[in-house]
Amino acid sequence: MDDASAAGGPIGRDRTVAVVGTGTMGQGIAQVALVAGHPVRLYDSAPGRAAEAVAAIGARLDRLVEKGRLDAAAREAAAGRLHAAEELAELADAALVVEAIVEDLGVKQRLFADLEKVVADDTLLATNTSSLSVTAIAGGLRLPGRFVGLHFFNPAPLLPLVEVVRGFATEETAATRAYETVKGWGKTPVRCADTPGFIVNRIARPFYAEAFRVYEEGGADPATIDAVLRECGGFRMGPFELTDLIGQDVNEAVTRSVWESFFQDPKFTPSLAQRRLVESGRLGRKSGHGWFSYAEGAERPAPHTAPPAEAPTQVTVRGDLGPAEPLVGLFEEAGIKVRRKPGEGWVELPGGGRLGLADGESSFEYHDEEIVYFDLSLDYAAAGRLVLSARRTIPPETLAEAVGLFQALGKQVSVIGDVPGMIVARTVAMLADLAADAVDRGVATAEDVDTAMRLGVNYPAGPLEWAENLGPRRVCDLLRALHERYPTGRYAPSQATARRCAESFEPEEKR
């Protein structure tokens, strides 16, 4: 071992990196190490698969040359460093072995037990598992201290994030060595403790779960929920279309694994609707049907969009609207007269109705008031769609005034059922809660959590960053309100969120 590696520095580019498993992920990891300059050996237990993977990687390198992303000389040099291994013993000189085989604990444990008989004691061993315990995979090893998780995201050559997972027995030098190595490959590594789902798959569960919950409650259809989270929330894709892309079976399996690993904690409860989808064989794009149909000629359902309504000429804004305060300037730019008066943060319509930002309560609870809720947006100016929610008996003219007001801003408007916390607000609050809990439990730093969620799943902002912008008290109050309406423990604020809320009070407020 060279001095840099011994001290936890990156593995030298002259040292061999081996990849076991030649599926999409294994090939992608091999390509990353190869382009970074390492000799690479590929091994697969199925005869001929490693050679096929070498050819496939070569073809991808050719495409990089065609696109101008790799010069011909570099391509030839890389091809000369890439070899298929027919026997596990051919990996003996590897400085790093990354496993990317089937997600089966027993199979992985047997592989690494066999590898320990072959490689040197200073070889770094890594698993690309996304759902199994790194600690458990290394549990039977003679030298578990040199074992880490290196969770790449698919496609590995394109996505920058790598979760570097430290198992219970992993030595700090091994974790640092792995971190520095993938950083040197041009990736963005984040450090993570060995917890179910690591960072991304643990914290991302509410993005899917809350959308499915709103659907199961009859609050809105999949196309509308997707549009709301994209066009109002700023997310790259909606959860229904995204799980169709991932595969319903894959997404549901991860959710179930995290839920079971946390001893069926209600915060991670899987969706019955998604389970039925999997049971029916509607797995998404790969089966031709998931939440949506992908049959030839099939049209994607359109989101619910309210018909044109007349905008009020003036509104009264009572108090500060908090995260929705930018709406005031947008009203004025649209030519709507705004009067400011003291109050608790709502918009008063000319007909007497009241518009309020989603706070975890329901419109029907206000028997004698005409309450219409609107959802949270990361950026109200940029949002292409805004969302309203009201009880079934709200006077039509009140709802029409609210619709017309937001349409006057150039927004499309979706009207959904009377859902506590709406869609974006409750999703963001849950993401923020799980993120804060993960940080306080030592899973990862706040910076690494936000980085992982932005890069791993393309969130428009890190959940802790978003929570800070909203204010810890608003996040906590919204969760507490949801907990009152769904007293299962799912929405109960974590101690981390409650602590941040308490610490956000000014000294005079505490007195």
Side-chain angles (χ1 to χ4, degrees):
M1 188 193 317
D2 56 40
D3 292 340
S5 294
I11 293 170
R13 299 298 174 90
D14 60 330
R15 302 295 306 280
T16 296
V17 172
V19 178
V20 179
T22 58
T24 301
M25 185 57 77
Q27 291 184 30
I29 295 170
Q31 181 179 328
V32 170
L34 185 67
V35 172
H38 291 274
V40 173
R41 287 202 186 95
L42 277 169
Y43 172 79
D44 198 295
S45 59
R49 288 279 180 84
E52 292 173 2
V54 166
I57 293 171
R60 281 201 291 273
L61 295 178
D62 288 338
R63 288 194 290 273
L64 291 178
V65 172
E66 292 170 4
K67 294 177 180 179
R69 297 176 184 172
L70 188 70
D71 63 54
R75 187 260 181 244
E76 289 307 310
R81 296 193 304 273
L82 179 62
H83 302 282
E86 295 183 2
E87 302 290 339
L88 210 59
E90 295 178 49
L91 311 185
D93 66 337
L96 165 65
V97 181
V98 184
E99 165 270 314
I101 63 174
V102 63
E103 286 288 86
D104 182 291
L105 179 60
V107 174
K108 290 180 188 289
Q109 288 174 327
R110 287 190 292 274
L111 168 66
F112 283 107
D114 291 339
L115 277 168
E116 269 203 318
K117 300 171 185 176
V118 171
V119 300
D121 285 355
D122 62 356
T123 298
L124 188 65
L125 300 180
T127 174
N128 183 59
T129 185
S130 62
S131 59
L132 298 177
S133 165
V134 170
T135 300
I137 297 172
L141 294 182
R142 178 172 54 87
L143 298 172
R146 43 93 170 262
F147 191 87
V148 298
L150 284 180
H151 182 214
F152 288 77
F153 288 74
N154 194 29
L158 297 180
L159 294 186
L161 184 70
V162 179
E163 293 175 320
V164 180
V165 186
R166 182 174 179 175
F168 188 78
T170 303
E171 295 172 357
E172 180 60 35
T173 51
T176 301
R177 187 180 174 199
Y179 181 97
E180 294 298 334
T181 296
V182 296
K183 183 179 179 181
W185 293 354
K187 296 299 181 182
T188 303
V190 292
R191 299 178 187 271
C192 176
D194 186 17
T195 183
F198 309 140
I199 300 174
V200 173
N201 280 331
R202 171 180 177 153
I203 295 173
R205 297 346 292 165
F207 178 69
Y208 312 107
E210 293 310 305
F212 298 163
R213 184 71 175 262
V214 170
Y215 166 72
E216 289 172 339
E217 292 179 2
D221 61 276
T224 299
I225 296 171
D226 274 357
V228 168
L229 285 161
R230 283 195 318 266
E231 301 170 33
C232 181
F235 292 91
R236 185 74 61 86
M237 295 180 72
F240 293 91
E241 59 186 344
L242 180 55
T243 52
D244 268 357
L245 179 63
I246 295 169
Q248 298 302 330
D249 52 340
V250 175
N251 181 261
E252 202 258 357
V254 172
T255 297
R256 186 167 295 276
S257 174
V258 172
W259 175 60
E260 291 174 349
S261 297
F262 278 113
F263 307 103
Q264 300 186 355
D265 187 325
K267 287 184 179 291
F268 300 99
T269 301
S271 161
L272 179 59
Q274 188 180 36
R275 176 97 287 259
R276 293 291 180 258
L277 209 64
V278 173
E279 290 172 339
S280 71
R282 295 189 170 192
L283 307 182
R285 289 179 179 271
K286 62 185 177 183
S287 70
H289 205 303
W291 295 108
F292 306 110
S293 173
Y294 299 91
E296 185 176 352
E299 293 186 9
R300 179 72 62 87
H304 169 78
T305 302
E310 186 175 350
T313 58
Q314 66 176 31
V315 294
T316 299
V317 176
R318 294 190 173 273
D320 192 306
L321 299 183
E325 185 65 21
L327 284 172
V328 177
L330 297 177
F331 293 152
E332 292 174 331
E333 290 175 13
I336 297 168
K337 182 179 179 181
V338 177
R339 294 187 298 177
R340 303 297 300 248
K341 290 186 177 182
E344 297 180 357
W346 71 83
V347 178
E348 190 175 288
L349 298 167
R354 197 169 88 186
L355 271 172
L357 178 61
D359 59 5
E361 298 183 3
S362 301
S363 177
F364 76 82
E365 298 172 47
Y366 294 86
H367 303 290
D368 301 322
E369 299 178 69
E370 297 174 13
I371 302 293
V372 178
Y373 280 108
F374 63 93
D375 212 342
L376 177 68
S377 176
L378 179 65
D379 186 339
Y380 282 101
R385 181 178 301 270
L386 296 178
V387 193
L388 301 177
S389 172
R391 67 176 187 266
R392 297 174 184 174
T393 57
I394 199 81
E397 55 272 20
T398 299
L399 189 57
E401 278 190 324
V403 169
L405 175 64
F406 288 123
Q407 286 177 339
L409 308 184
K411 316 294 186 185
Q412 292 186 307
V413 177
S414 291
V415 179
I416 66 171
D418 191 10
V419 178
M422 307 281 279
I423 298 172
V424 180
R426 69 193 281 177
T427 299
V428 169
M430 285 291 284
L431 291 170
D433 184 60
L434 292 190
D437 182 62
V439 170
D440 278 23
R441 290 179 184 270
V443 173
T445 65
E447 180 181 1
D448 276 357
V449 165
D450 277 354
T451 296
M453 302 313 289
R454 285 196 305 270
L455 298 183
V457 278
N458 289 313
Y459 283 3
L464 293 169
E465 174 192 354
W466 207 343
E468 190 62 32
N469 291 337
L470 294 176
R473 290 168 61 181
R474 183 174 293 275
V475 171
C476 194
D477 287 348
L478 191 146
L479 289 171
R480 285 171 174 160
L482 286 169
H483 180 54
E484 288 180 11
R485 287 148 187 84
Y486 304 98
T488 63
R490 180 187 183 101
Y491 299 103
S494 66
Q495 286 298 297
T497 295
R499 187 179 302 112
R500 283 164 170 75
C501 178
E503 292 170 351
S504 70
F505 281 80
E506 296 295 330
E508 60 270 19
E509 292 180 281
K510 294 181 180 180
R511 294 196 297 268

